Amino acid sequence: MNDAQNAKLDLFIKDQVMSDAVYEVIRDAFLSKKGKKDIQVLAAERLAIDLLDDAWKELSKFNSINSEKQSQSGNVGL
């Protein structure tokens, strides 16, 4: 990913209301009723939610990576 994409992801993660809203919309779409639910569908939903959580944790790393870059770019003369 380039710096512009990293910066946009950082802004998205820092906007707590927006990132929470997007997470909830995606999660609700995964869990929306799609007719009859058998054991395979329920298992697939569980896997989807687990993968969403993993992806969200990966996404939150962009915030910490950019924070580390900012703290390292301080004045080296001090």
Side-chain angles (χ1 to χ4, degrees):
M1 294 183 102
N2 62 33
D3 288 340
Q5 290 172 325
N6 286 339
K8 289 287 188 178
L9 286 172
D10 183 47
L11 289 174
F12 174 75
I13 292 298
K14 285 183 179 177
D15 186 350
Q16 192 66 42
V17 174
M18 177 60 92
S19 62
D20 286 347
V22 169
Y23 178 85
E24 288 178 20
V25 167
I26 293 171
R27 187 194 62 215
D28 291 346
F30 287 170
L31 296 175
S32 67
K33 294 187 179 202
K34 295 175 179 83
K36 209 173 197 182
K37 292 196 177 191
D38 59 1
I39 192 72
Q40 288 86 7
V41 172
L42 293 172
E45 285 179 350
R46 182 70 242 168
L47 286 172
I49 296 302
D50 289 345
L51 291 172
L52 175 63
D53 287 340
D54 291 344
W56 217 256
K57 288 175 188 171
E58 189 69 27
L59 189 60
S60 68
K61 290 180 184 177
F62 283 97
N63 189 19
S64 61
I65 289 171
N66 287 334
S67 296
E68 289 174 11
K69 284 182 182 179
Q70 288 175 356
S71 66
Q72 290 176 356
S73 65
N75 188 348
V76 294
L78 293 175

